[in-house]
């Protein structure tokens, strides 16, 4: 969390009152909540509706379960939080060799006679590969469908195409330096979403989390270091390739703070143990599912087979990541790879 987010959460706790209460303290809390809501929407360039949720997973569940589109298509590389909502009537859209959806192929799955919700991520949480949101939205809207973008990995203001073309957008505060336990669902038109009653305009029951909303808004007020991340990621890509490693989907458009690297001959689990011992927190697969050590469906979808997909770790940068830390990780990576080659010889 950023310092500003921590301070805002503390302020919210100090002034806590139920924003739905009619008394003076409740009305003051409501004003603060609505100011935070407006600040969050503005940070993403969103001028329509916004629901505050408990995080991206809940935002995803609301969009997937309650959109008015009777059919659904999800890409084969979506986050587990989206994959939980696949089942009868949900079609899977393969990705091309570059990890991206082919809009032309997607158009072939759509029919104006059956409005479809198409779920697509802004950037993959494992490989960092970004999807062509504007092109996807064009073919979906031409067929009378709706576009749902999982933008949990997207910094505020990073891509105006999302605000311009998406019908639903799932967001997460803790990915952006805000507190855990809050996110948002951006909604272009409430008429496309089934209400349930309660708070949040009748679309999400439960007492509103004012302290977390203030923290989220405060975090978004501080721009994220996109340009610096790109320099760091390019440096790490080069160092790992020089040490005999492979960058997964290196030639695809990628988030500058997310990458996956393969260390040939060394299992991901063995790498994680050694990196953890060296003081580096990385993962295999998405962070939400990596504890299971199950094979990554993302790596399978982009065509990696055994043993390659079992030799990949996922690395990401935060706001405070330094060049020295990246250099240190590159050195640790080289050491782990070297020890593995010696053992294998």
């Amino acid at each position: 969390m950023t310092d500003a987010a921590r301070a805002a959460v503390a302020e919210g706790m100090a002034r806590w009152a139920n924003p739905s209460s009619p008394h003076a303290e409740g009305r003051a809390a409501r004003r603060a909540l609505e100011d935070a809501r407006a600040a969050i929407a503005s940070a993403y360039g969103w001028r329509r509706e916004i629901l505050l949720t408990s995080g991206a997973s809940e935002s995803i569940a609301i969009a997937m379960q309650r959109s008015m589109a009777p059919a659904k298509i999800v890409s084969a590389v979506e986050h587990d939080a989206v994959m939980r909502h696949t089942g009868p009537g949900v079609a899977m859209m393969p990705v091309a060799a570059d990890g991206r959806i082919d809009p032309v192929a997607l158009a072939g799955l759509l029919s104006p006679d059956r409005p479809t919700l198409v779920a697509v991520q802004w950037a993959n949480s494992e490989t960092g590969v970004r999807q062509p949101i504007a092109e996807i939205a064009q073919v979906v809207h031409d067929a009378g469908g709706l576009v749902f973008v999982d933008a949990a990995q997207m910094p505020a203001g990073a891509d105006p195409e999302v605000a311009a073309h998406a019908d639903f957008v799932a967001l997460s505060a803790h990915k952006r330096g805000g507190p855990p336990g809050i996110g948002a669902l951006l909604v272009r038109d409430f008429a496309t979403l089934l209400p349930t009653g309660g708070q949040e305009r009748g679309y999400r029951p439960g007492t509103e989390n004012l302290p977390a909303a203030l923290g989220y808004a405060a975090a978004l007020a501080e721009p994220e270091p996109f340009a610096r991340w790109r320099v760091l990621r390019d440096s790490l890509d080069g160092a790992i390739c020089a040490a005999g490693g492979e960058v997964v989907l290196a030639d695809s458009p990628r988030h500058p703070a997310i990458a996956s690297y393969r260390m040939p001959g060394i299992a991901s689990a063995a790498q994680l143990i050694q990196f953890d011992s060296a003081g580096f927190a990385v993962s295999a697969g998405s962070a939400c599912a990596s504890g299971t050590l199950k094979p990554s469906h993302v790596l399978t979808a982009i065509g990696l087979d055994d043993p390659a997909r079992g030799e990949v770790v996922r690395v990401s940068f935060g706001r405070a990541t330094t060049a020295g830390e990246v250099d240190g990780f590159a050195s640790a990576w080289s050491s782990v790879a070297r020890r593995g080659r010696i053992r294998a010889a």
Side-chain angles (χ1 to χ4, degrees):
M1 287 177 63
T2 67
D3 291 342
R6 290 192 189 94
V9 170
E11 176 195 350
M13 289 181 172
R15 63 187 295 184
W16 166 248
N18 189 331
S20 294
S21 296
H23 48 61
E25 290 86 351
R27 295 196 305 272
R30 170 60 61 181
R31 286 193 297 272
L33 181 72
E34 295 309 317
D35 286 347
R37 186 193 309 274
I40 293 166
S42 177
Y44 288 98
W46 192 255
R47 294 181 174 81
R48 302 299 181 94
E49 310 292 347
I50 172 173
L51 303 177
L52 298 178
T53 68
S54 63
S57 291
E58 185 190 4
S59 297
I60 288 167
I62 291 172
M64 291 294 292
Q65 295 173 359
R66 289 162 44 197
S67 80
M68 295 299 190
K72 295 179 178 64
I73 294 174
V74 304
S75 84
V77 293
E78 293 302 306
H79 191 279
D80 279 356
V82 174
M83 292 300 188
R84 293 188 194 109
H85 302 285
T86 58
V90 179
M92 194 74 69
M93 177 71 196
V95 292
D98 63 357
R100 309 178 91 203
I101 288 177
D102 179 356
V104 175
L106 174 61
L109 299 178
L110 300 170
S111 170
D113 297 328
R114 188 166 172 76
T116 300
L117 177 74
V118 176
V120 58
Q121 58 202 192
W122 180 76
N124 188 268
S125 62
E126 295 181 40
T127 65
V129 171
R130 289 177 53 178
Q131 297 293 339
I133 300 299
E135 291 89 340
I136 290 170
Q138 180 70 53
V139 300
V140 174
H141 290 153
D142 284 351
L146 299 170
V147 177
F148 167 46
V149 178
D150 171 9
Q153 302 294 342
M154 185 181 75
D159 189 353
E161 288 187 353
V162 173
H165 300 291
D167 297 289
F168 303 102
V169 183
L171 303 171
S172 171
H174 76 267
K175 302 284 188 183
R176 310 271 63 87
I182 188 166
L185 179 66
L186 307 182
V187 181
R188 185 166 300 280
D189 183 355
F190 274 152
T192 63
L193 192 67
L194 181 69
T196 59
Q199 289 83 347
E200 290 299 300
R201 278 72 168 166
Y203 288 87
R204 180 187 185 260
T207 302
E208 298 95 336
N209 189 345
L210 174 62
L214 295 176
Y216 190 8
L220 294 178
E222 301 181 44
E224 295 182 67
F226 236 55
R228 181 166 62 82
W229 281 339
R230 189 169 287 108
V231 172
L232 294 177
R233 204 272 316 281
D234 289 348
S235 171
L236 185 56
D237 284 359
I240 285 180
C241 287
E246 299 174 9
V247 181
V248 177
L249 299 179
D251 296 328
S252 298
R254 290 183 294 153
H255 191 307
I258 301 172
S260 280
Y261 300 106
R262 180 191 174 200
M263 186 182 294
I266 313 297
S268 303
Q271 295 180 51
L272 296 184
I273 292 170
Q274 294 179 76
F275 288 137
D276 186 53
S277 296
F280 295 100
V282 296
S283 63
S286 67
C288 298
S290 58
T292 64
L293 293 180
K294 65 182 181 180
S296 165
H297 70 276
V298 172
L299 299 182
T300 300
I302 64 175
L304 266 67
D305 54 17
D306 286 331
R309 67 185 175 209
E311 300 169 345
V312 174
V313 297
R314 180 243 199 208
V315 175
S316 62
F317 307 143
R319 288 175 183 259
T321 303
T322 66
E325 289 169 336
V326 172
D327 290 343
F329 178 74
S331 178
W333 199 96
S334 297
S335 297
V336 172
R338 184 171 57 254
R339 288 195 295 269
R341 288 192 292 268
I342 291 173
R343 284 194 295 268

